[in-house]
Amino acid sequence: MISQDKQLHFLLIPLLSQSHIIPLTDFAKLLAQHEINVSIITTPLNAQRYKSLITHSLNFNLKIQLIPLHFPCEELGLPKGCENMDSLPSTNLYKEFFLACESLKQPLEEIIQKMETKPSCIISTGGLYWTQEIADKFKIPRYVFQTISCFALLCSQEIEIRNSQLPNVATTKQSDDVQSVVHQIKWSQNLARGTLINTFNELEPFYVDEYKKIMKNVFCVGPVSLCNKKIDEIVNRGNEGSIDNEYSYLTWLNTMKPKSVVYVSFGSLCHISFLQIKEIGLGLESSNVPFIWIIRGLNVSSEVEKWLSDENFEEKVKGRGIIIKGWAPQLMILSHTSIGGFLTHCGWNSTLEGITCGVPMITFPMFADQYYNEKLIVDFLKIGIRVATEEKNRVLEKKEEVEKAINQLMDEGLESEERRKKAKELAIMSKEAMQESGSSYLNIKSLIQDVM
């Protein structure tokens, strides 16, 4: 219990991307359960997507508020309404998007200046280096919330060290820009009071210990998705009712045998070529394994729509496969008893959700930390298999590789049983970490004490 005269106010600032907003919003609920006042900086359209959070907070007397700031889309060359990275029509607009995010600095400072209760701390996700300047200005401690694993953080650190030892080479203007941003992120992280990581000690103990040797004040506080216990929380996590007849797939899942269905999803930011989507679809079809396949955002192109129609694909797999175009409640689907495998891009949020649900994975990384996560899943945790069995510069994964990986994961052999057993053990460990007296629960308590 926190006494009234020491009531804490945490200000949370996520990068405006689902991969950052979702875990930081989950963490807000965990903090509020410890009687912390929490404010989350957002924008008008993102606030609409997370209005269920406020409804839940009111119902359970949690002190969470959203503070929407105007997001200057058109002023900085973005299409109207692009307030989240998953709404960008092209990856070529990332630079403009980050500049628009940085432009929130001044209005945020004005908001803090007017607050009756000064924030006790700022918690912002890794890429928002400018939030350290705000923290310094108002003399507020800042904590970095990392949305990737300790293993990935260590791998990135090692690569940075090795690159620094290479001879200097001519660089382009773009690489200079990137290097400047990387430098600012590193600078802000070194000045932060501490680092919060959405992982749990028992998942990657060696890598947690190693990371603590190079970073001060590290708190493993995950998996934060486990704060969602009520059906409405799980269904609306990350979005609101964007599926027509959203429970139809649940009715279908209820008719499937336990552990018989593969869930296929590649997150909110992976832009997949038409040819690759076609190969994934053909691999799913030829595997003869039941599946739910999520195709999101820009991946639902006119080419994809035409191919699905010309091939009569949905009719061919009717009764065995379902395609959902757009958003789907991933956590609810993964936790269903009929799900036996997860074909994933290996984003850290998705990886953790697969782990908490005890679902073995087929790894299909596409960029950034996803390749590190694949290695953690397959080689260290041993709860998954790769789509590609050999290391190479892969341009296109063929349908035969997709089919083989699905059948290998879902078969009843000894290796598959061992993967299922390990996945189940990790799921139990993840829940224990978040329970009272669990490692992550205690780390959240320690964080609160650190702020006090």
Side-chain angles (χ1 to χ4, degrees):
M1 298 287 287
I2 298 170
S3 63
Q4 290 301 311
D5 61 331
K6 289 186 178 179
Q7 185 66 54
L8 299 179
H9 176 206
F10 285 32
L11 182 63
L12 275 53
I13 313 171
L15 176 67
L16 298 174
S17 166
Q18 294 296 79
S19 61
H20 289 236
I21 297 173
I22 290 175
L24 203 57
T25 301
D26 285 342
F27 189 56
K29 290 159 77 171
L30 290 168
L31 290 170
Q33 289 167 12
H34 288 271
E35 300 185 17
I36 306 293
N37 288 325
V38 182
S39 298
I40 305 174
I41 300 301
T42 186
T43 65
L45 291 182
N46 284 306
Q48 282 297 309
R49 295 174 78 166
Y50 289 86
K51 62 184 179 182
S52 62
L53 168 69
I54 301 304
T55 303
H56 173 82
S57 301
L58 291 171
N59 290 341
F60 290 89
N61 199 29
L62 301 177
K63 297 177 180 178
I64 302 175
Q65 66 167 335
L66 298 177
I67 301 177
L69 302 178
H70 168 69
F71 193 73
C73 301
E74 295 170 281
E75 298 96 307
L76 287 168
L78 295 170
K80 185 178 180 180
C82 284
E83 297 181 11
N84 191 302
M85 284 184 76
D86 71 356
S87 63
L88 292 176
S90 169
T91 56
N92 293 330
L93 292 172
Y94 277 176
K95 181 178 179 180
E96 287 79 2
F97 186 83
F98 277 93
L99 287 173
C101 288
E102 190 171 354
S103 75
L104 299 178
K105 180 172 178 279
Q106 183 177 339
L108 180 52
E109 288 178 350
E110 292 170 1
I111 289 283
I112 294 173
Q113 192 74 52
K114 294 173 184 176
M115 283 181 173
E116 289 185 17
T117 305
K118 180 181 174 182
S120 309
C121 72
I122 288 174
I123 299 175
S124 56
T125 52
L128 302 180
Y129 56 84
W130 47 270
T131 57
Q132 184 61 50
E133 297 172 2
I134 296 176
D136 293 342
K137 178 176 180 177
F138 290 96
K139 296 181 171 53
I140 302 169
R142 171 184 174 245
Y143 297 82
V144 178
F145 187 94
Q146 293 287 7
T147 57
I148 61 178
S149 65
C150 276
F151 178 71
L153 287 165
L154 281 168
C155 289
S156 300
Q157 184 85 6
E158 180 63 24
I159 287 172
E160 184 179 332
I161 291 169
R162 290 185 182 184
N163 285 346
S164 70
Q165 296 168 346
L166 295 174
N168 288 330
V169 294
T171 58
T172 64
K173 179 66 171 67
Q174 184 180 14
S175 66
D176 286 343
D177 290 342
V178 171
Q179 285 303 313
S180 175
V181 171
V182 169
H183 175 75
Q184 289 173 297
I185 290 172
K186 186 177 179 182
W187 162 83
S188 70
Q189 186 161 317
N190 289 337
L191 290 179
R193 172 80 160 262
T195 302
L196 317 180
I197 306 176
N198 185 20
T199 189
F200 56 105
N201 294 347
E202 296 81 1
L203 179 66
E204 41 177 349
F206 174 79
Y207 305 110
V208 170
D209 289 343
E210 289 299 304
Y211 194 65
K212 285 181 177 179
K213 292 177 183 178
I214 60 174
M215 293 301 298
K216 62 184 179 183
N217 234 12
V218 174
F219 303 88
C220 295
V221 296
V224 296
S225 63
L226 288 175
C227 72
N228 300 287
K229 295 180 171 62
K230 304 291 183 183
I231 292 295
D232 64 318
E233 291 181 272
I234 297 171
V235 169
N236 292 320
R237 180 174 178 261
N239 217 327
E240 287 259 2
S242 56
I243 304 177
D244 294 333
N245 194 16
E246 65 181 30
Y247 289 104
S248 61
Y249 62 89
L250 287 177
T251 302
W252 178 79
L253 281 172
N254 289 337
T255 68
M256 296 290 111
K257 294 178 181 178
K259 309 294 181 187
S260 66
V261 179
V262 170
Y263 173 65
V264 184
S265 179
F266 300 100
S268 58
L269 292 181
C270 292
H271 294 175
I272 310 172
S273 71
F274 160 65
L275 289 177
Q276 186 61 81
I277 287 177
K278 179 180 174 182
E279 293 297 324
I280 290 168
L282 293 173
L284 287 167
E285 180 187 1
S286 57
S287 73
N288 289 318
V289 172
F291 65 87
I292 289 188
W293 182 14
I294 314 301
I295 309 178
R296 300 179 65 171
L298 291 177
N299 297 324
V300 189
S301 64
S302 56
E303 267 187 311
V304 169
E305 293 276 24
K306 184 176 186 303
W307 175 73
L308 290 172
S309 175
D310 290 350
E311 288 292 315
N312 202 20
F313 186 86
E314 292 179 82
E315 190 62 33
K316 284 181 182 178
V317 298
K318 189 174 182 179
R320 182 173 69 83
I322 289 180
I323 297 177
I324 298 174
K325 299 167 189 172
W327 175 86
Q330 178 162 291
L331 199 55
M332 169 159 271
I333 295 173
L334 281 172
S335 62
H336 197 281
T337 56
S338 70
I339 299 296
F342 181 13
L343 176 50
T344 174
H345 65 306
C346 304
W348 186 237
N349 288 329
S350 291
T351 298
L352 274 181
E353 287 162 19
I355 287 169
T356 60
C357 294
V359 179
M361 291 173 245
I362 302 167
T363 61
F364 201 128
M366 298 184 187
F367 65 91
D369 65 307
Q370 295 167 13
Y371 292 98
Y372 303 141
N373 297 336
E374 175 182 59
K375 193 163 188 65
L376 183 67
I377 292 164
V378 177
D379 297 334
F380 297 110
L381 300 178
K382 299 189 183 301
I383 56 169
I385 58 174
R386 294 176 172 87
V387 167
T389 56
E390 58 184 80
E391 295 296 324
K392 57 182 178 179
N393 293 323
R394 296 171 286 186
V395 177
L396 187 71
E397 302 292 5
K398 304 296 287 184
K399 68 174 185 177
E400 292 82 6
E401 294 168 319
V402 175
E403 176 189 358
K404 180 182 176 182
I406 292 171
N407 287 326
Q408 185 180 342
L409 189 84
M410 301 297 285
D411 69 25
E412 297 180 1
L414 289 176
E415 288 186 8
S416 296
E417 286 302 318
E418 188 61 27
R419 275 191 294 270
R420 293 183 192 107
K421 179 184 174 184
K422 288 180 179 177
K424 185 177 179 180
E425 289 171 353
L426 286 175
I428 293 169
M429 290 164 63
S430 71
K431 292 171 178 64
E432 289 175 345
M434 296 302 293
Q435 291 171 358
E436 197 165 337
S437 80
S439 61
S440 292
Y441 179 91
L442 293 176
N443 284 338
I444 293 172
K445 297 284 283 186
S446 296
L447 166 67
I448 294 168
Q449 288 298 316
D450 194 67
V451 174
M452 292 177 71

